[in-house]
């Protein structure tokens, strides 16, 4: 569902551009709104959410899909935690549909899906591992890296239940906006994938904005 935001970027309390292949890590407080902006179009933002005070409570794709009765995420979707609490709600969305089934790219999936020689290509899972390694204070490790949301990524489910990584439906300037319902740690990998069309074969930067 397409829903425009009324928030103005010039009023944002925080703005950061995240290059492709880099991670973004920030606590967004309950009541704050975070926007992920696809600056140049067709870019996947692989995202994990955690309870900022207890990262063992985290975003759960299965609970979110069950509670809303739909596999796609868009305006109105409530993102559920592994404890079945609402973590965030998507309040605006100019892309229209986001994936939470396809998972994130990893050295392992690049190897099995594409070729053995792709194993050393940078992947989203690597970016998250760098994030938790560089932030020991979080007390997190690779066991905390679980299923995620791929904002802007187009993974249509076929009539017989299959999954495709399809050409994107996002475009330059499209965004998704979420209101935090608890203090959440937002961890994004701006996807560096070059082996499928999730980034239009050309990974590009995103911008993250937060309004208080
Ligand atoms: Zn990726």
């Amino acid at each position: 569902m397409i829903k425009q935001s009324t928030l103005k970027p010039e009023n944002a309390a925080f703005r950061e551009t995240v290059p492709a292949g880099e991670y973004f890590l920030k606590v967004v407080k309950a009541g704050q709104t975070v926007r992920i902006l696809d600056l140049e179009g067709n870019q996947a933002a692989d995202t994990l959410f955690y309870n900022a005070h207890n990262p063992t409570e985290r975003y759960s794709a299965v609970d979110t899909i069950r509670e809303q009765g739909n596999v796609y995420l868009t305006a109105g979707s409530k993102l559920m935690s592994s404890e079945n609490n609402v973590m965030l709600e998507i309040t605006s969305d100019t892309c229209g549909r986001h994936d939470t089934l396809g998972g994130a790219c990893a050295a392992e999936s690049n190897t099995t899906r594409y070729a053995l020689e792709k194993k050393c290509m940078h992947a989203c899972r690597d970016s998250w591992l760098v994030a938790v390694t560089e932030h020991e204070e979080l007390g997190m490790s690779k066991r905390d890296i679980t299923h995620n949301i791929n904002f802007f990524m187009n993974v249509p489910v076929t009539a017989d239940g299959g999954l495709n990584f399809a050409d994107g439906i996002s475009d330059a300037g499209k965004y998704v906006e979420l209101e935090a319902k608890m203090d959440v740690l937002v961890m994004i990998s701006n996807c560096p994938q070059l082996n499928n069309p999730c980034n239009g074969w050309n990974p590009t930067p995103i911008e993250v904005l937060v309004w208080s």
Side-chain angles (χ1 to χ4, degrees), residues 3-150:
K3 189 172 172 203
Q4 306 276 344
S5 172
T6 56
L7 295 171
K8 296 196 175 353
E10 58 268 30
N11 296 333
F14 172 91
R15 298 180 76 159
E16 185 174 313
T17 299
V18 186
E22 297 289 326
Y23 71 83
F24 172 87
L25 192 65
K26 182 176 175 58
V27 172
V28 175
K29 300 269 190 190
Q32 292 186 326
T33 295
V34 57
R35 177 187 294 184
I36 304 170
L37 171 62
D38 189 356
L39 284 169
E40 297 182 30
N42 230 339
Q43 178 62 23
D46 294 39
T47 304
L48 294 161
F49 296 108
Y50 301 87
N51 177 335
H53 307 288
N54 172 20
T56 62
E57 182 178 16
R58 48 160 179 82
Y59 170 72
S60 169
V62 285
D63 291 287
T64 299
I65 291 167
R66 185 196 63 238
E67 289 296 310
Q68 71 168 3
N70 196 294
V71 295
Y72 301 126
L73 305 178
T74 186
S77 295
K78 293 182 171 68
L79 308 186
M80 308 302 294
S81 77
S82 49
E83 308 289 329
N84 214 36
N85 296 312
V86 179
M87 302 189 83
L88 307 102
E89 180 173 345
I90 301 180
T91 46
S92 298
D93 179 16
T94 62
C95 178
R97 199 169 84 189
H98 307 270
D99 166 66
T100 194
L101 297 174
C105 61
E108 294 82 357
S109 62
N110 280 343
T111 305
T112 55
R113 282 184 185 140
Y114 307 114
L116 185 59
E117 68 193 42
K118 309 292 187 186
K119 182 172 174 138
C120 296
M121 289 180 78
H122 190 55
C124 284
R125 191 171 167 82
D126 297 332
S127 289
W128 288 328
L129 291 173
V130 171
V132 297
T133 303
E134 290 184 345
H135 293 271
E136 266 181 50
E137 73 279 7
L138 297 173
M140 292 164 66
S141 68
K142 65 180 178 183
R143 70 186 300 171
D144 298 296
I145 309 296
T146 60
H147 34 96
N148 67 299
I149 297 172
N150 297 307

Side-chain angles (χ1 to χ4, degrees), residues 151-170:
F151 287 113
F152 308 115
M153 189 167 157
N154 185 25
V155 185
V157 179
T158 63
D160 61 357
L163 285 179
N164 284 322
F165 292 170
D167 194 17
I169 54 173
S170 185

